[in-house]
């Protein structure tokens, strides 16, 4: 059994899940509180994707705490397979949402002047929320690769 | 040595690379030939990302042909590590470009009426190009996971 940084059921794995949860929750809260987010469909998709990541990372953080307290070993084939698929789907959705929102932001700021002409849109808040979503995705991608590596070497 | 579907130096690997190349080239050609693509920065990014994927997949398809002709074994640790990093970077860039372009398309068609009001934009061609980019990314993602699996089990 290999012990890799970020493995499920380890302190490093728990920390990764907690940071994923925090960044996704911050991104979700900022986007949902920004005025005019419903103007662009991509921003609503970002809220949905970050909501999914919040639930997924929070659930797995709880599982890590449970495993750490009872000193349980989570490295079995079925659990790691489920985790790999779940991480992959959540990571792809998070990246897709962050990238589509970033594309829309570039249209709003650079390609057109929607941000200047429509002052009801909180463009700065949108940008911070998208940056946080990218960080949340990166942390999830790290977890995803660690799980895939463990699954391949188990 | 495991022989997985899509391994480098195998016929299935060569077919995967050729389809990646074809779909990326078709997406690139359609986007570059569509009128008004320079209106959105994301579409220019899609052209750049598909250009990178065309070069990457073409180069690796040539390497696969070389390996198949001389019956060379490409499963060594350094080569697979380079391949894993290259595939990962190219796949992330392709997905980012496809998603940001798709986000912009939704703004053009659904959130605003830019496609209707600006008849010089070839919105249908943009959509086909983006769909092809998603297929090219999916095929590259398959290759990327196969290489990562081989690297972990070598």
């Amino acid at each position: 059994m290999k012990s890799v940084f970020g493995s499920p059921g380890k302190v490093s794995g728990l920390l990764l899940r907690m940071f994923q949860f925090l960044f996704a929750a911050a991104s979700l809260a900022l986007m949902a509180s920004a005025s005019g987010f419903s103007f662009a469909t991509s921003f609503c998709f970002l809220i949905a994707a970050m909501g999914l990541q919040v639930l997924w990372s929070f659930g797995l953080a709880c599982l890590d705490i449970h495993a750490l307290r009872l000193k349980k070993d989570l490295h079995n084939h079925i659990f790691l397979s489920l985790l790999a698929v779940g991480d992959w789907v959540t990571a792809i959705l998070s990246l897709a949402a962050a990238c589509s929102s970033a594309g829309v932001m570039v249209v709003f700021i650079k390609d057109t002047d929607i941000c200047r002409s429509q002052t009801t849109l909180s463009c700065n808040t949108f940008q911070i929320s998208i940056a946080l979503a990218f960080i949340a995705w990166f942390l999830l991608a790290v977890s995803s690769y660690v799980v895939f590596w463990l699954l391949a070497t188990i």
Side-chain angles (χ1 to χ4, degrees), chain A:
Chain A
M1 183 67 64
K2 285 190 180 179
S3 181
V4 187
F5 171 84
S7 307
K10 307 278 167 204
V11 178
S12 55
L14 173 63
L15 282 173
L16 257 180
R17 295 289 174 193
M18 281 173 71
F19 278 112
Q20 285 163 23
F21 166 75
L22 288 174
F23 279 104
S27 169
L28 171 66
L30 271 178
M31 187 56 88
S33 65
S35 77
F37 76 85
S38 56
F39 180 75
T41 311
S42 295
F43 296 159
C44 303
F45 175 37
L46 186 77
I47 290 182
M50 286 300 113
L52 177 69
Q53 184 165 341
V54 161
L55 291 175
W56 177 255
S57 298
F58 182 73
L60 290 175
C62 291
L63 202 69
D64 279 341
I65 293 171
H66 175 76
L68 278 169
R69 280 186 65 190
L70 302 185
K71 293 186 179 160
K72 274 202 170 184
D73 184 21
L74 296 175
H75 291 193
N76 67 71
H77 207 274
I78 296 167
F79 177 72
L80 285 178
S81 305
L82 284 173
L83 215 58
V85 173
D87 267 345
W88 195 78
V89 171
T90 322
I92 295 292
L93 282 177
S94 293
L95 181 63
C99 288
S100 62
S101 302
V104 172
M105 248 359 268
V106 175
V107 168
F108 282 7
I109 294 174
K110 196 171 160 281
D111 304 331
T112 63
D113 272 335
I114 294 179
C115 266
R116 271 192 212 164
S117 59
Q118 299 221 15
T119 45
T120 49
L121 295 177
S122 340
C123 286
N124 286 334
T125 319
F126 293 157
Q127 288 179 71
I128 300 169
S129 167
I130 293 167
L132 291 173
F134 271 111
I135 300 173
W137 162 74
F138 181 76
L139 294 171
L140 188 57
V142 172
S143 278
S144 162
Y145 272 91
V146 167
V147 170
F148 194 73
W149 185 270
L150 285 172
L151 189 64
T153 52
I154 206 167

